[in-house]
Amino acid sequence: MLRFAIATLLASTVTADNGLTVSMYENGALSGTPSKTYTITSLDKVSESGVGSISITGTLTFPILGWHNFTCEFAQTSLAMVWVDGHMVCTDAKHYQDWRDPKQLRGEIDNPIMVREKKDLAFRVHLYRNSSIPASTATTFSMKWSLNGSSSITSIPLSAMTTEMSPSEQEREALQKEVQRGWGNWNQHSILDIVKLPDSAVLTTMLCNKNDDCITDTRIELDRGNDCYVRVGMYAGDQSYTQFYFGQSKTVSGNVSVEYTSTETNDLTMLITPQTVEQGHKIRIAGRFAWWRSGEYTIVSGNEVTFQGTGFDKFTMYIQGNTTINGNFIDISLDNGPITISTLKSTTVQSARSDLTAAHETRMNYLRTTFKDRAEVALAIEASAMWNLVYVPLENGPLFPVSRNWNWVHGSAKGDFDYVIFDWDNLFASLLGALTNKKLGYSNFIQAMKSKTSDGFVPNYAAGGMKSQDRTEPPVGAKVLEELYNRYGDKWLVELVFDDLLDWQAFFLRERLLEPLNLVCLGSYNVVAAKTHEGSTTAGMQGGRWESGLDNSPMYDGEFFNSTTHQMMLYDMGMTSMLAQEAQSLAYLADQIGRPEKQMLLDRAAHFRALLADNLWDEKIGTFSNKFPNGTFYERISPTTFYPLQVRAATDEQADSMVTNWLLNKDRFCISPTGDSKGNGPDCYWGLPSIQAGDPAFPPLGYWRGYVWGPMAQLTYWSLKQYNTTIVNQGRKAMTNQLTSLMMSQWNRNRHICENYGPHQNTTDCTGTQFYHWGALTGMITLMEEQYW
C-alpha cells in the first residue's frame, strides 16, 4: 500500500469537468488563495517543486461495486495523505516513527475500501513540503487502483475523475478551512503550547525554578505520568479569552495563572501572573513550528522575538518583563510580578489586564444573556469542548478528542500528531462544542462521521489513519445530527453524511442481527484483516464488550461469544434501541433534504420497536432486559433499560412504572423525586449509576460497574423525553437537576469535567479521566430540558 518512488505531473487542457484539480500554495499549510490552480488528467505522474503545499481534489467515480485497493507512491514530502470519501487510503507515514513496526500501530488503515452503493466519492490529496526539501527538488506522487479484488493494478481513467467535489463537500471544505485560524491551544500534547493557525507557529511558556528545573509541557489530568497541577478556567467558544493555572510539580513548587485574548486580526495578548512562587522562578519561552512545517523563529532581543512561517507574513511578539537570553530560550523573571507577551508593542501589564478583563466580561455577558441562570453550566459545557479542541493535519479539520491525555497514534513521530477519535464520544462532543460554536461543532462531527471504516461503520477508535476495523460503538450519529439540524438548519451537513449514516445502519443489519429473533447483538470481526491476511480478525468477547461502549459492564459478564458468527449471543436492548432511534432520526432527516428513504426508515424503526416491545420487556421485574437466544433474560440492569423508550417501545403505563420503580427508586437508580438527592443513601447519592445499585457489581464499583456516565445521562434523557406523563416528566426533570448538580460539584471544586463520576456522596474528584468532554452531557441535559439548546 505504501511505496516510495518518483513520478512526474501531466497538466491538462481538457474541460473543467474532466480530471482533478491541483492547487499549489506558497505556504506550508494549504492556506489562503492558491498561487496556481490547474487540472490534471492522470494520477500516474504528479510532480511539483518550489511550493510549500499541494492539494489534489475532486470526485472519483467507481465503475463497479466491490472491494477496491489503492497503490500510492510518494517522494520528497514532509507529510502526505490521500483520502477517498474520508478513508485515508494512503500516507507517507511521516507522522509515525516507524510505520512498518506493527507494535507501534493500533488497528489497520482503510485500504482496500468497499464501494457498496454510492459510487461518486470525494477525493483529496494533501502533500506538504518543508525546508528539508530543496526548492528545486520535486515532490512527487502517483496513485493507481485495482477494482473489485482484481490482482491487476491499473491507472485511474480520466472518465472516473471530476474536478469538483459535491456541493456539500465544498461547504465542508470551506468551513473547515475557515476554522483553522487564530491563536489557541491547538496542540493536543501540551496546553503550554499556544499555537497560531494557519502559520503553525508555536509559543511555549514553561515554568522554571532558580535551579532550572522546568515544567516544559502539561495537559490537564494528573494521571498518566503528568505530575503538574493544572486548573482550567474559561475557554471561550469564540476563542476570545482563555485562562488556566499550572505549576506545583515534583520539582517546581510555584504556580502561575496564564490568560490570553486574541482578536479577529490575530493579535494576541497574554498575561502571566505568579500566584505562589519563590524567588528565582521564571517563565521560559521557546518558539518553533508544528507538524513538520517550516519557518524562522528569531530572538531579536530579550524583549522581542519574531516568527515567520514559510509563505506567511512575519510577526513580532513583545515581552514586558526582566528578561535574559538563555541559548534558544528567553527567561522572564517572576520576582517583580506579572509579565506580558503580546503581538502589540504598546502592551503593558496594566493594559493587558484591562483587555483581558474586558474580554472575560464580554464572554460572561454573552453567557448570561443567552443562558440566564444557567450561565455557569454553559460555561462549563463550553470549556469541556474547547479545552479539548485540537488541530492535526491528519484530519481535514479541527476536532474535539475526548481528552488531551488520550492518544492512539502509537509511535507518533512527534507529540504534535497525538490524538484519537472515539465513535460516540466524539459524536456527543459535537453537541457540546456546537452549543456556542456551530462551526467547530460541525467540523468535529464531520471528522467523527468520516472516520467510518472500509466496512461502513464508524469505528470504536480512529487515529492517524488506523482504525478498529473489527467493531463499531453505539450508533448515535443520526440523533446527534437531528439535534444539530433542528438547532441550526443546515441541510448541507445532512446531505454530506446521510449516506454514511445509511452505511452504518446497513452494517448492523448485515453483521449484527442475532437469530432467530434478529434483534441487534454485539460482535467483533475484521473483514479487512480477513481479506488482506494482515492482523487479527476478531477480538472475541472483549471486542464485543468494547463495541458496546460499556467496556466492562456487568451486563456482559461471562463468556458467550460465537467465534463462527463473530457475535455475542445476547439480544442487546440498548443497541437495538439506538439502531431504531437512528432509523427514526434518519427518516426525519430524509424528509428534510428530499431523500426517498423516509418510509423505508420509518418501517425499520417500527419493526425494531415491535421487536423490543414483544421480546425484551421483562414482566417479572417490570422493565426491559437483555435476553439470551434461549429465551432467558439476563437481568443485569443498567440505564440502557430506558433506551427502548427512545422509540416508544413501552406503553405510557410501562414508562410510568419504570420511572417509579427503577429511576426514582433509591435502591436502584437513585434519582430523588425532588432532583436534589434527598432520601438517597451515601453510596448511591448522585444517581443513575452505570449498573443499578442493587446489582452485586455496584458496591465495589469500577468504570462501567457503577460510576455515573454522561452518555448514559444523555440517552436516558432522550428516552424519557418521548413521554409526556406526569410521572415521566417529574422523573426526567429530577434527573436533569440531580446530574447537573453532580457535574457542577466537580467543576466548582476542581474545574474538572469527568470521564465518569463517583456515585458516592463524599466523592471529591473524578473517578475516571479528569477532563473528558462527554462528562458535560450531565449538564447539557438541563440546558435541553430548559430549552436553552
Side-chain angles (χ1 to χ4, degrees):
M1 283 181 277
L2 298 173
R3 297 200 297 273
F4 303 87
I6 295 178
T8 58
L9 175 97
L10 294 176
S12 167
T13 58
V14 299
T15 63
D17 289 337
N18 300 307
L20 297 168
T21 301
V22 176
S23 299
M24 297 166 52
Y25 298 83
E26 296 299 329
N27 60 72
L30 299 172
S31 178
T33 303
S35 59
K36 183 179 179 183
T37 301
Y38 56 93
T39 300
I40 56 171
T41 61
S42 172
L43 285 172
D44 286 355
K45 298 180 178 181
V46 180
S47 175
E48 273 297 344
S49 59
V51 295
S53 50
I54 306 160
S55 72
I56 307 171
T57 57
T59 300
L60 290 185
T61 299
F62 289 78
I64 56 175
L65 303 178
W67 286 96
H68 304 314
N69 201 298
F70 302 89
T71 301
C72 304
E73 298 179 352
F74 304 94
Q76 301 302 319
T77 55
S78 58
L79 187 66
M81 291 79 60
V82 181
W83 293 275
V84 176
D85 192 32
H87 302 285
M88 187 190 290
V89 297
C90 296
T91 172
D92 67 354
K94 298 292 179 64
H95 53 292
Y96 281 99
Q97 294 176 27
D98 187 352
W99 177 270
R100 296 159 297 182
D101 182 359
K103 296 178 181 178
Q104 292 191 2
L105 304 182
R106 197 95 180 238
E108 290 83 32
I109 196 169
D110 278 346
N111 194 358
I113 66 169
M114 166 61 80
V115 179
R116 296 187 185 278
E117 292 186 23
K118 184 179 178 181
K119 294 183 178 181
D120 299 326
L121 303 181
F123 180 70
R124 288 177 174 85
V125 180
H126 290 176
L127 306 172
Y128 296 94
R129 296 165 54 92
N130 61 22
S131 58
S132 68
I133 302 169
S136 60
T137 302
T139 289
T140 63
F141 164 70
S142 67
M143 178 174 175
K144 296 184 178 182
W145 65 11
S146 57
L147 298 179
N148 199 23
S150 169
S151 59
S152 175
I153 299 172
T154 63
S155 298
I156 300 173
L158 177 60
S159 61
M161 303 177 189
T162 306
T163 56
E164 299 288 341
M165 293 186 288
S166 69
S168 60
E169 283 285 359
Q170 292 179 47
E171 291 272 8
R172 170 196 182 183
E173 193 73 9
L175 179 142
Q176 292 192 306
K177 283 200 170 189
E178 179 185 346
V179 294
Q180 293 175 39
R181 189 165 299 279
W183 289 95
N185 297 92
W186 293 107
N187 187 350
Q188 171 159 319
H189 180 69
S190 176
I191 64 171
L192 303 188
D193 287 349
I194 313 299
V195 184
K196 184 187 179 189
L197 291 181
D199 310 46
S200 310
V202 182
L203 178 73
T204 304
T205 56
M206 299 168 270
L207 177 62
C208 305
N209 62 20
K210 64 182 180 181
N211 298 320
D212 273 355
D213 299 314
C214 297
I215 300 170
T216 59
D217 60 79
T218 191
R219 288 160 296 283
I220 299 174
E221 296 83 0
L222 294 174
D223 57 356
R224 304 195 183 198
N226 178 33
D227 70 344
C228 171
Y229 173 79
V230 175
R231 182 181 176 91
V232 299
M234 176 188 286
Y235 197 141
D238 62 359
Q239 298 172 281
S240 61
Y241 178 85
T242 309
Q243 189 274 332
F244 65 98
Y245 301 92
F246 80 100
Q248 303 296 346
S249 71
K250 293 177 182 177
T251 56
V252 180
S253 60
N255 73 88
V256 298
S257 165
V258 178
E259 53 186 326
Y260 62 90
T261 182
S262 58
T263 67
E264 292 183 359
T265 57
N266 282 331
D267 280 317
L268 174 77
T269 296
M270 180 185 296
L271 180 68
I272 302 178
T273 306
Q275 304 298 297
T276 56
V277 296
E278 299 174 356
Q279 284 291 114
H281 274 63
K282 58 210 169 198
I283 293 295
R284 174 169 290 170
I285 68 169
R288 64 181 183 89
F289 290 83
W291 307 296
W292 303 135
R293 294 176 180 172
S294 294
E296 292 186 6
Y297 168 70
T298 304
I299 298 175
V300 178
S301 69
N303 298 98
E304 186 177 330
V305 299
T306 62
F307 290 86
Q308 184 168 22
T310 298
F312 293 102
D313 293 337
K314 180 187 293 186
F315 66 91
T316 303
M317 304 202 75
Y318 303 94
I319 304 156
Q320 296 294 325
N322 183 12
T323 66
T324 303
I325 298 176
N326 182 4
N328 293 325
F329 307 117
I330 294 179
D331 292 344
I332 316 165
S333 173
L334 293 173
D335 290 345
N336 298 320
I339 60 102
T340 68
I341 304 171
S342 178
T343 56
L344 302 171
K345 190 172 185 178
S346 60
T347 299
T348 64
V349 169
Q350 182 177 359
S351 69
R353 185 174 287 120
S354 176
D355 290 347
L356 287 158
T357 299
H360 179 271
E361 191 57 26
T362 296
R363 193 61 183 175
M364 281 307 307
N365 285 339
Y366 159 76
L367 294 173
R368 294 186 193 106
T369 300
T370 306
F371 303 102
K372 299 180 172 56
D373 60 344
R374 294 297 187 178
E376 290 294 330
V377 175
L379 185 153
I381 293 171
E382 180 177 71
S384 75
M386 294 302 294
W387 276 112
N388 288 310
L389 173 67
V390 306
Y391 166 78
V392 60
L394 307 176
E395 301 290 333
N396 202 59
L399 66 158
F400 303 120
V402 294
S403 163
R404 291 177 180 270
N405 261 13
W406 286 79
N407 165 47
W408 283 31
V409 185
H410 288 193
S412 62
K414 194 176 182 65
D416 296 350
F417 295 108
D418 291 357
Y419 80 108
V420 65
I421 295 173
F422 288 133
D423 165 356
W424 63 328
D425 314 52
N426 273 79
L427 290 171
F428 277 132
S430 306
L431 297 176
L432 303 171
L435 179 67
T436 60
N437 192 317
K438 178 185 80 169
K439 293 178 181 179
L440 288 175
Y442 281 12
S443 182
N444 176 78
F445 179 79
I446 292 166
Q447 292 312 115
M449 283 304 309
K450 290 300 181 179
S451 73
K452 81 172 186 181
T453 66
S454 300
D455 207 21
F457 59 85
V458 177
N460 177 180
Y461 64 81
M466 293 295 169
K467 301 174 184 179
S468 61
Q469 299 282 358
D470 71 301
R471 62 186 181 273
T472 183
E473 273 193 310
V476 296
K479 179 60 177 174
V480 169
L481 180 57
E482 181 184 2
E483 292 282 353
L484 292 171
Y485 178 77
N486 285 340
R487 182 170 175 83
Y488 293 115
D490 289 309
K491 290 186 178 182
W492 71 264
L493 183 65
V494 180
E495 292 165 346
L496 178 71
V497 300
F498 192 86
D499 287 302
D500 300 315
L501 290 163
L502 284 179
D503 285 348
W504 202 359
Q505 288 255 308
F507 163 77
F508 277 101
L509 300 177
R510 187 173 63 249
E511 303 291 347
R512 294 294 189 265
L513 295 186
L514 179 61
E515 295 181 344
L517 295 179
N518 285 322
L519 286 150
V520 178
C521 67
L522 299 164
S524 168
Y525 181 65
N526 185 338
V527 66
V528 174
K531 288 191 69 64
T532 61
H533 307 291
E534 297 176 4
S536 174
T537 58
T538 181
M541 184 70 186
Q542 186 55 52
R545 295 186 184 106
W546 285 329
E547 183 166 85
S548 76
L550 320 177
D551 302 359
N552 68 337
S553 171
M555 292 191 297
Y556 310 117
D557 282 359
E559 295 292 328
F560 34 91
F561 190 84
N562 186 319
S563 58
T564 301
T565 64
H566 314 292
Q567 294 177 329
M568 190 183 291
M569 302 300 288
L570 185 73
Y571 298 128
D572 195 286
M573 60 185 165
M575 297 295 278
T576 302
S577 301
M578 286 183 278
L579 184 68
Q581 171 62 73
E582 289 289 281
Q584 194 166 276
S585 294
L586 274 174
Y588 166 75
L589 294 168
D591 192 43
Q592 301 305 303
I593 61 172
R595 290 285 295 244
E597 294 92 348
K598 176 183 176 181
Q599 191 58 51
M600 176 271 288
L601 290 161
L602 287 174
D603 292 345
R604 182 180 296 168
H607 169 74
F608 284 108
R609 180 187 306 115
L611 286 177
L612 285 163
D614 294 343
N615 296 284
L616 297 188
W617 175 261
D618 188 342
E619 188 64 37
K620 184 179 73 171
I621 61 175
T623 194
F624 290 92
S625 178
N626 295 334
K627 182 190 279 188
F628 293 110
N630 65 8
T632 303
F633 283 108
Y634 193 31
E635 295 171 347
R636 309 297 295 273
I637 305 301
S638 84
T640 65
T641 193
F642 298 107
Y643 296 1
L645 276 60
Q646 290 183 85
V647 290
R648 292 190 59 85
T651 65
D652 283 0
E653 292 74 21
Q654 287 173 326
D656 282 350
S657 175
M658 292 170 68
V659 169
T660 300
N661 297 321
W662 287 90
L663 186 69
L664 300 180
N665 187 326
K666 67 182 180 62
D667 297 318
R668 286 175 169 171
F669 288 114
C670 317
I671 297 298
S672 165
T674 51
D676 54 8
S677 297
K678 285 184 179 178
N680 288 344
D683 289 343
C684 190
Y685 181 79
W686 290 110
L688 206 71
S690 49
I691 195 71
Q692 62 102 355
D695 191 283
F698 178 80
L701 297 176
Y703 216 47
W704 292 95
R705 305 176 76 84
Y707 292 146
V708 183
W709 291 77
M712 284 183 156
Q714 185 67 65
L715 288 162
T716 301
Y717 172 78
W718 278 332
S719 301
L720 299 175
K721 190 68 175 173
Q722 300 308 308
Y723 293 78
N724 192 31
T725 70
T726 300
I727 291 174
V728 173
N729 288 342
Q730 178 193 17
R732 187 183 66 248
K733 181 66 174 178
M735 184 187 75
T736 60
N737 283 338
Q738 196 163 305
L739 293 181
T740 298
S741 295
L742 168 60
M743 183 192 83
M744 293 306 292
S745 72
Q746 294 295 346
W747 174 256
N748 291 332
R749 180 185 296 117
N750 303 308
R751 286 295 189 263
H752 287 163
I753 297 293
C754 302
E755 177 189 13
N756 50 70
Y757 300 86
H760 293 176
Q761 183 176 7
N762 64 355
T763 301
T764 58
D765 206 342
C766 301
T767 41
T769 303
Q770 293 166 326
F771 212 90
Y772 195 110
H773 49 48
W774 75 2
L777 293 169
T778 52
M780 190 70 172
I781 56 176
T782 286
L783 297 191
M784 288 183 169
E785 177 67 12
E786 297 179 3
Q787 299 183 15
Y788 290 119
W789 167 258

